[in-house]
Amino acid sequence: MINISNSNSNRPGPLRNSSSAEFNTKEAVALFYGRKKTEKLNAIIGLNIFATKIKDINNAAHNDDPYADYFLLNIDSALKGAARHLSEWQNTFTKLSNDSLITINQGSSVNPITLEVSFSSTYANIAFSLLKQSDNLMLTIYALKHIGLINRVVCNQEINKVNKLMRKTFLSADGYKYFSINRKDVKQKTARYIQAHVAMKFTENLPQEIMDKSLRAEHAPNIILDPNEVFRKKPKPVTKKPVAKETSNDQ
């Protein structure tokens, strides 16, 4: 006998997971939270806002919005580019450290901050991993300054480079606007599609490979099928009855 504890459903609910990381630099924590716009300072998009935007774009792509697929491709490219730059910079500073005659302890904060997230999007989780990578890189830079392998000016320049790279990466999700459109709207050039196209400041049509779904981001979600197409009964093919040929009585 099968005992189902939840009488409302015979299926498990959606999966949930979380991840956490310890951060040591104030810059990395600031990149996580971002900054609200004030009279004197511009707003800075943080990882938490980036993750919220990614969630909306991901859901739209799941519902067959080709503009969401376009943005996911840009986000995918931005994250991969950031990962490449962070690794290259880390290798450069690690080599500088290894070339010295003393063993350098990268160090850590006396009061590190542990941040825990439960992002639903793969790309938001990748960004969280990159933020931790940037935190480690900045620790290395500060350690090199502390022992005199780089000076204060170079240190500040390199820290700013890391900050700028991460902010630019988070901005890759900016500009998308939800209009509840799908590929059918685009093909039929509906009023809602035109409104979305203008609002997102597109001056050209989407590439054909995005429209025909042959080009999608590596971690793009599955596209749900149109319920109308799934459940609509296809009309039976019309077969014409053969017309009897008249026979001639002429002799």
Side-chain angles (χ1 to χ4, degrees):
M1 179 179 179
I2 300 176
N3 181 22
I4 300 178
S5 59
N6 186 355
S7 59
N8 295 326
S9 174
N10 60 356
R11 296 186 301 173
L15 299 175
R16 292 287 183 267
N17 58 56
S18 63
S19 55
S20 63
E22 188 176 86
F23 291 87
N24 292 278
T25 64
K26 64 181 185 298
E27 290 87 358
V29 175
L31 284 168
F32 180 87
Y33 290 108
R35 184 179 68 198
K36 292 184 178 180
K37 184 178 181 180
T38 65
E39 293 182 358
K40 296 183 179 180
L41 298 172
N42 293 325
I44 295 178
I45 182 172
L47 174 59
N48 55 348
I49 299 299
F50 173 79
T52 300
K53 290 177 178 289
I54 288 283
K55 181 179 178 181
D56 293 338
I57 296 171
N58 213 59
N59 289 338
H62 180 57
N63 289 309
D64 201 26
D65 182 345
Y67 287 89
D69 268 337
Y70 177 90
F71 274 87
L72 283 181
L73 283 166
N74 288 341
I75 291 165
D76 183 280
S77 176
L79 289 171
K80 289 177 179 176
R84 184 175 62 254
H85 284 301
L86 290 174
S87 294
E88 290 173 354
W89 295 343
Q90 184 68 64
N91 291 338
T92 298
F93 289 116
T94 299
K95 184 178 184 304
L96 180 61
S97 173
N98 292 338
D99 289 343
S100 67
L101 298 179
I102 60 176
T103 300
I104 301 172
N105 183 359
Q106 182 171 270
S108 61
S109 169
V110 296
N111 186 28
I113 301 294
T114 298
L115 298 174
E116 183 174 352
V117 297
S118 54
F119 297 140
S120 59
S121 165
T122 300
Y123 284 120
N125 286 302
I126 292 173
F128 184 62
S129 177
L130 290 179
L131 184 59
K132 175 56 183 173
Q133 191 175 341
S134 71
D135 183 59
N136 290 341
L137 172 58
M138 289 187 283
L139 270 181
T140 302
I141 295 170
Y142 280 127
L144 293 174
K145 169 183 172 290
H146 183 68
I147 65 169
L149 286 179
I150 60 175
N151 61 33
R152 173 181 53 82
V153 174
V154 173
C155 174
N156 291 338
Q157 288 174 344
E158 297 302 326
I159 293 294
N160 287 335
K161 277 175 58 177
V162 177
N163 276 315
K164 185 176 180 181
L165 173 67
M166 296 308 297
R167 289 198 299 267
K168 181 180 178 181
T169 302
F170 296 155
L171 279 172
S172 63
D174 204 34
Y176 175 78
K177 299 183 186 300
Y178 179 74
F179 280 89
S180 187
I181 63 172
N182 55 34
R183 282 173 171 81
K184 187 179 293 185
D185 288 300
V186 178
K187 291 176 182 177
Q188 296 177 351
K189 298 189 182 302
T190 64
R192 189 162 50 186
Y193 146 71
I194 295 173
Q195 186 181 8
H197 191 81
V198 173
M200 287 186 271
K201 299 180 181 179
F202 279 81
T203 57
E204 298 180 355
N205 294 330
L206 290 173
Q208 183 57 38
E209 55 266 31
I210 291 180
M211 286 301 300
D212 63 20
K213 308 175 190 178
S214 60
L215 177 62
R216 301 193 75 218
E218 182 178 357
H219 299 290
N222 293 327
I223 297 175
I224 62 172
L225 297 175
D226 183 353
N228 294 323
E229 297 296 332
V230 174
F231 297 108
R232 183 185 294 124
K233 292 183 178 179
K234 294 183 179 180
K236 294 181 179 180
V238 178
T239 55
K240 294 182 179 181
K241 294 182 179 180
V243 179
K245 293 183 179 180
E246 295 183 359
T247 57
S248 175
N249 293 327
D250 295 344
Q251 294 183 359

